[in-house]
Amino acid sequence: MARAILIVLDSVGCGGAEDAAAYGDTGADTLGHIAEACAEGRGDRDGLRSGPLHIPNLARLGLSHACEASTGKPLAGVTRSDAPQGQYGYGVEISQGKDTPSGHWEIAGCPVPFKWGYFTALESSFPSDLVAAIIREGALPGILGNKHASGTAVIDKLAEEHIRTGKPICYTSVDSVLQIAAHEEHFGLERLYDLCKKARVLVDPLRIGRVIARPFVGTAETGFTRTGNRKDFSIPPPDETILDRLAAKGRPIVTVGKIGDIFAHRNTGEEIKPFGNAAMWAAALEAFARLPDGGFCFVNLVDFDTEYGHRRDIPGYAAALEAFDRDLPKLEALLRPGDLAVITADHGNDPSWPGTDHTREHVPILGFGPAVPAREIGRRASFADIAATLSEWLGVGTVGPGRPW
């Protein structure tokens, strides 16, 4: 019986979204601009990487072809395979927004049928009654932040005041999100989680997608660092996903990274959540190696987004892509004759783009396996085509409104 693994390279978009203008993202192209920067020397960093973007394994599977189909341009400096060995194309998001839940839910076969709520004001972002309720329910002396902000920047700016006053740092972005940062030792990790659970209930009427606990450690002398104990408190998908269908059929499921949080832990099977791309990829390979026949492994590699996209770090992003590419043959070696592997993304986060937020983009789609015929799959009208293809491959019927390729 076939197995499948789905790998989301968080934020690795490939440009060209037709409705990008509505999001202020006309011209954004995460992969394209990273490749251009590397080809021009703007992706170099001493001791980290240099030269053109080196991703021969992804290129061999058809990544440059997928990007060219999306934008009309191949990846600058990346050797273009004459005969790609995988199935390659790109996906168009039909859900509104450019956020993590929308992208992942649609990939899993459940496009978002409603408009998310957002905190649009750049300063004093949260309604006064919500702030009052958070303070009351959390027995807090107050909150700090209350604005749109980069997480690392707002923690660096407000951490000392947070420790002195006991007030958590609350901030948001263009995503449908309320983020709460607090010091693991001075505020307490479990107390932070409990506060986020209460905030989750408070923002439900506003249709806010996620409340995110952002714990950090450190001192003013050593600097402050976010830890791997982040936890997302999401609303559940509004309809069936591939995870639901597989669980109903009794299939083994393993989810790696923040997949459990994104799907509100609904039918997410064995959840594995190490910290950092390298640890998550190692865990994914180990989980897939022991995955029984008929099983499904769903992986999110978040560092592309959190560590490099939001921080507008082109050399770091390029190095992370190259590291993933180097390790890709380890997965290929684990694939059995009936297996299908799919690599995609949930949105863009162009590190050359103004600001620090996600970008509205197409996403690349690569499919491969020992018995998977290499071919172009073209433009997919919804990310939901991914779930439709995987569910059909696994023999549980077509999940969601997408069309298998």
Side-chain angles (χ1 to χ4, degrees), residues 248-261:
K249 298 290 186 180
R251 297 296 186 86
I253 297 170
V254 180
T255 53
V256 181
K258 62 179 185 177
I259 299 298
D261 289 345

Side-chain angles (χ1 to χ4, degrees), residues 280-298:
M280 284 186 283
W281 185 238
L285 292 172
E286 186 276 332
F288 189 68
R290 59 178 169 79
L291 189 68
D293 288 348
F296 179 58
C297 185
F298 195 173

